[in-house]
Amino acid sequence: MLTHKGTVTLKTERLVLRKVEPGDAQTMFDAYANDPRVTKFLSWSPHGDVKNTRALLESWEKEYEKPDCYNWAITLGGRMIGTIGAVSVNDRDERCEIGYCVAYDYWGKGIMTEALRAVLRFLFDEVGMRRVMARHDTANPASGRVMQKCGMTYEGTLRSWHTRNDGSVGDAKVYSILRDEFRA
């Protein structure tokens, strides 16, 4: 049985993961929401205006009222540089799926690995998840390396899984980790 705690603040060596705030809209827009390099493999297109980012954050803020909402702003030195969250939570099966993105300037610096480890620890140890999965576009292997560094196991490839922002069709690699594997 899951013990939902909502999006609580998590701290790592370099990062603070916290709820998004209204004041994050301009920072998020400037740092990555309008960057096609960042959104290339995501389910949403680059924001053309900060108004789009503001509307997204407002919708996320409303979700915080639900105890099973897990959606963090990734901050470094007090500045929002990305997001990570459980995009699908299943109470019955004690599982969820993780989605994440980080500003291009922070790619390859271990930021997302550090954030994902903190979220996995919280979801397994505090919430009681049994299984956490994540997937990435096969054309974005760096995202898969983050999953591997966090101990996740490759499970297979979903062929023609999604339509990318440019209209092309992409495959997705699926990774997962179980509570007992994470604790080991």
Side-chain angles (χ1 to χ4, degrees):
M1 178 176 219
L2 298 178
T3 306
H4 290 297
K5 300 187 176 204
T7 306
V8 301
T9 300
L10 305 175
K11 295 181 181 181
T12 69
E13 185 178 323
R14 297 180 289 174
L15 309 172
V16 174
L17 280 59
R18 58 159 174 80
K19 292 179 179 179
V20 298
E21 301 169 351
D24 291 329
Q26 190 67 54
T27 303
M28 180 178 170
F29 178 79
D30 293 341
Y32 65 94
N34 70 344
D35 189 338
R37 296 171 298 184
V38 174
T39 62
K40 182 175 183 177
F41 302 110
L42 299 179
S43 60
W44 48 276
S45 299
H47 294 176
D49 190 292
V50 72
K51 292 176 187 174
N52 301 102
T53 309
R54 194 169 290 114
L56 176 64
L57 294 186
E58 287 171 3
S59 72
W60 286 355
E61 285 182 280
K62 291 176 185 166
E63 293 295 311
Y64 287 136
E65 296 172 15
K66 300 175 185 174
D68 64 347
C69 173
Y70 301 104
N71 190 20
W72 290 272
I74 301 169
T75 66
L76 177 65
R79 183 174 186 264
M80 182 181 182
I81 60 167
T83 54
I84 185 168
V87 294
S88 176
V89 175
N90 183 305
D91 282 36
R92 181 178 179 271
D93 297 325
E94 298 176 335
R95 63 179 162 82
C96 69
E97 181 175 352
I98 297 293
Y100 51 75
C101 69
V102 69
Y104 183 80
D105 290 346
Y106 297 94
W107 287 10
K109 298 182 184 337
I111 296 289
M112 195 51 69
T113 301
E114 190 173 327
L116 180 55
R117 280 191 184 123
V119 168
L120 289 172
R121 188 174 305 106
F122 172 75
L123 291 173
F124 287 132
D125 294 346
E126 301 294 323
V127 179
M129 290 290 174
R130 182 175 42 86
R131 171 189 164 88
V132 176
M133 69 166 278
R135 57 190 153 87
H136 70 88
D137 189 300
T138 55
N140 184 15
S143 188
R145 286 193 294 277
V146 168
M147 296 168 199
Q148 292 166 359
K149 288 176 188 175
C150 290
M152 299 180 89
T153 301
Y154 170 70
E155 292 189 333
T157 300
L158 304 169
R159 299 175 303 148
S160 292
W161 177 251
H162 64 115
T163 302
R164 297 180 181 118
N165 292 332
D166 67 2
S168 64
V169 175
D171 299 338
K173 288 190 174 186
V174 177
Y175 288 80
S176 74
I177 187 166
L178 305 178
R179 180 175 48 226
D180 294 340
E181 295 170 340
F182 183 76
R183 289 181 177 161

